[in-house]
Amino acid sequence: MKISELNFTELVSTYGDNFPMYQILDEEGQVVDQAAISELSDEELVELMEVITWGRAIDERVILLNRQGALSNYAPGGGQEASQYGSVLALDKKDVFAPTYRDVFAGVKFGMKLSQAFLWYKGHYIANQYGDDLSMYSPNVIVGGTTIQALGNGIAKRMKGEKQVALSLCGDSATSQGDFYEALNFAGVFKANLIAVVQNNGYGISVPTARQTKASTLAQKAVAAGIPAVRIDGMDPVAVYYTVKKAREYAIENGPVLIENMTYRFGPHTMSDDPKRYRDDEEVDIWRKKDPLLRLGKYLSEKGLWDQEKADAIYEEVKTQAKEALAEMAKAEPQKVSEFLNFMFKDQPQNIREQTVYYNEKEEN
């Protein structure tokens, strides 16, 4: 093409064509990619169904606990289970996981204690004290903060020749932050063992994606960093799990991958949000028909591998787990200012030493 023939409108309109949305199971639970699903065992698919069912059950349980005042403000994850738990389940336990505030319970399936997850909602520091066998960041409330966290680990693993990855979850609005772009750019340059998963649920709180970016897809934002990207039906748990597994293999050998999961949250942004102010019931109903639990559940039921009895058993298990976690949470000692001061410095400056003495005396009385 000659420069005299350039059409800027046509040029930008073609960007999104390179990022079609991929599925393995359609909305009716029918296989649309036989080659892909044949690479997964029935055991893997049943475990995936168990995990996303657990995710839905704990989400509903925590909503009740929030309404009862047992836990503070909660960001529901109902609808996003395929994206959250499908991603985590595809990881190795020696990988690094960087979740957001909406992915706290995905962290439980990665190895975090449920009682710690509950304490996180109480703002207690014990929630962030992990054992050496758990390579996970504390769930991040900073929009765009997870990808740049995972970047550092991804670069380190590349430099050390380690066969693990760092995976970050973030929302669509995170891709409007400078930290996100900087993370992708550095990841590309240093061939970081990074999988950046963008959970595009259509809204940054109340702001629709179309008001956040002019880009027709979020996956295309990886192009400027020179790294591969793919757009997935984020309501298809099999597609998410399969794609993250493939991305993990690629990232270990070659470098970073960006995955955009097209998903949806059925509930509010948080329990203090009123979604009816920015979306209508008709939109929610359309997405509820894409429910990941219905989709994979139907596929497995037709194979005789899943039924309502199995789902009910998981819900009962979650009730017991939540009760035990609440009891464990109640054992946590109240936090002290002196403890916060002691956490800050290995060698305390004079002003901190003075404050520590002051608060130690105050707390003893």
Side-chain angles (χ1 to χ4, degrees):
M1 177 185 291
K2 298 177 181 179
I3 194 158
S4 58
E5 299 173 347
L6 274 179
N7 184 312
F8 289 107
T9 302
E10 289 183 2
L11 187 65
V12 73
S13 68
T14 63
Y15 292 163
D17 296 344
N18 294 312
F19 299 97
M21 187 181 73
Y22 292 100
Q23 294 177 316
I24 293 178
L25 295 180
D26 66 16
E27 295 175 22
E28 302 301 322
Q30 300 301 306
V31 177
V32 295
D33 189 337
Q34 188 62 51
I37 204 165
S38 65
E39 295 182 39
L40 304 175
S41 67
D42 286 344
E43 289 75 18
E44 284 179 282
L45 295 176
V46 170
E47 182 183 13
L48 179 58
M49 185 65 196
E50 290 172 343
V51 169
I52 63 173
T53 301
W54 184 93
R56 180 67 57 83
I58 196 66
D59 182 69
E60 294 175 1
R61 178 59 44 180
V62 173
I63 288 173
L64 291 175
L65 293 173
N66 170 265
R67 289 172 175 164
Q68 295 167 0
L71 295 176
S72 57
N73 198 19
Y74 174 58
Q80 294 190 201
E81 294 90 354
S83 179
Q84 296 169 318
Y85 296 93
S87 296
V88 167
L89 196 60
L91 294 178
D92 182 85
K93 291 301 181 183
K94 293 183 180 180
D95 292 332
V96 176
F97 179 43
T100 75
Y101 55 87
R102 200 181 302 281
D103 312 306
V104 177
F105 296 104
V108 172
K109 284 304 177 182
F110 190 65
M112 183 186 193
K113 295 179 181 178
L114 185 56
S115 59
Q116 285 183 293
F118 284 0
L119 281 167
W120 188 88
Y121 288 102
K122 289 288 190 180
H124 203 295
Y125 65 80
I126 290 177
N128 307 318
Q129 294 181 333
Y130 306 146
D132 292 339
D133 59 341
L134 178 57
S135 298
M136 185 180 112
Y137 284 96
S138 175
N140 200 328
V141 182
I142 300 172
V143 177
T146 55
T147 309
I148 205 159
Q149 283 180 322
L151 164 70
N153 297 97
I155 292 175
K157 290 185 179 299
R158 173 63 57 189
M159 295 177 70
K160 294 179 178 180
E162 296 177 352
K163 300 298 183 181
Q164 289 95 37
V165 301
L167 181 142
S168 64
L169 294 179
C170 72
D172 44 284
S173 58
T175 67
S176 300
Q177 297 292 322
D179 282 354
F180 178 81
Y181 287 100
E182 291 158 13
L184 292 190
N185 191 56
F186 271 78
V189 170
F190 291 100
K191 296 179 65 177
N193 296 19
L194 173 69
I195 304 174
V197 177
V198 178
Q199 303 189 91
N200 185 355
N201 65 19
Y203 293 91
I205 306 182
S206 61
V207 181
T209 306
R211 294 291 299 275
Q212 300 174 50
T213 178
K214 186 65 174 174
S216 57
T217 75
L218 300 182
Q220 70 195 62
K221 297 194 175 192
V223 173
I227 66 177
V230 63
R231 204 172 191 226
I232 299 299
D233 181 349
M235 306 297 277
D236 177 0
V238 183
V240 173
Y241 174 72
Y242 178 88
T243 303
V244 174
K245 282 190 68 174
K246 291 294 183 182
R248 184 178 184 277
E249 294 172 2
Y250 176 90
I252 288 173
E253 298 300 325
N254 303 286
V257 178
L258 172 65
I259 300 172
E260 178 187 1
N261 288 337
M262 302 301 296
T263 185
Y264 196 80
R265 54 172 168 83
F266 295 150
H269 172 71
T270 69
M271 294 300 291
S272 60
D273 170 45
D274 179 10
K276 291 183 180 295
R277 298 181 65 181
Y278 53 86
R279 67 185 195 187
D280 55 41
D281 292 339
E282 183 179 356
E283 177 184 302
V284 178
D285 290 341
I286 290 172
W287 279 93
R288 282 194 178 278
K289 294 176 183 177
K290 307 172 191 255
D291 192 322
L293 274 69
L294 296 178
R295 188 179 305 201
L296 182 54
K298 182 176 180 180
Y299 172 77
L300 292 176
S301 295
E302 290 177 353
K303 296 189 70 175
L305 298 172
W306 191 257
D307 54 37
Q308 189 60 44
E309 185 177 347
K310 287 184 173 65
D312 291 343
I314 291 174
Y315 268 75
E316 289 301 316
E317 180 185 16
V318 165
K319 288 182 183 178
T320 301
Q321 291 174 341
K323 183 178 180 180
E324 292 174 350
L326 286 171
E328 186 67 24
M329 181 182 74
K331 297 177 184 177
E333 294 290 335
Q335 300 178 96
K336 299 177 180 179
V337 175
S338 60
E339 293 174 324
F340 298 150
L341 293 170
N342 284 326
F343 292 155
M344 292 301 296
F345 297 94
K346 180 180 179 181
D347 298 314
Q348 293 184 338
Q350 180 180 343
N351 64 323
I352 298 298
R353 290 198 302 271
E354 291 173 354
Q355 291 179 58
T356 302
V357 171
Y358 170 80
Y359 281 104
N360 277 332
E361 293 176 352
K362 186 176 182 179
E363 291 161 356
E364 288 174 358
N365 297 328

